Amino acid sequence: MDERAKYHYFQAKMYAKAGQTDRALLCIRKSLEEGFKEKDKFMKDPEFATLKENQEFKLLMATEQKVI
């Protein structure tokens, strides 16, 4: 897995924990686009619990991302 994908995953985690939903979603999208394969972590990690009802988050989790 690309290190950038991992970097964006951890950035998303930090933003989600801080309550910065828009930035967290942007980083989630970037991590998936860059090939982050462990999508289930977004559902399991407690930092993302507040995003689970967010429509954009649901869409990101439901969509197969194309790796750029």
Side-chain angles (χ1 to χ4, degrees), residues 2-14:
D2 193 300
E3 289 301 312
R4 285 181 303 177
K6 252 189 248 184
Y7 170 77
H8 287 297
Y9 162 75
F10 286 110
Q11 222 179 9
K13 206 170 174 174
M14 179 190 70

Side-chain angles (χ1 to χ4, degrees), residues 27-57:
C27 290
I28 290 169
R29 181 182 305 277
K30 282 183 179 181
S31 73
L32 294 171
E33 286 173 350
E34 291 171 356
F36 190 77
K37 301 270 188 265
E38 301 169 71
K39 204 177 207 180
D40 61 319
K41 284 190 168 196
F42 292 114
M43 299 306 287
K44 292 179 183 172
D45 287 353
E47 291 85 354
F48 300 112
T50 57
L51 298 178
K52 286 184 181 173
E53 294 307 310
N54 180 289
Q55 283 306 113
E56 188 177 346
F57 180 80

Side-chain angles (χ1 to χ4, degrees), residues 9-24:
Y9 162 75
F10 286 110
Q11 222 179 9
K13 206 170 174 174
M14 179 190 70
Y15 284 130
K17 190 174 181 179
Q20 296 183 25
T21 303
D22 289 345
R23 286 182 181 210

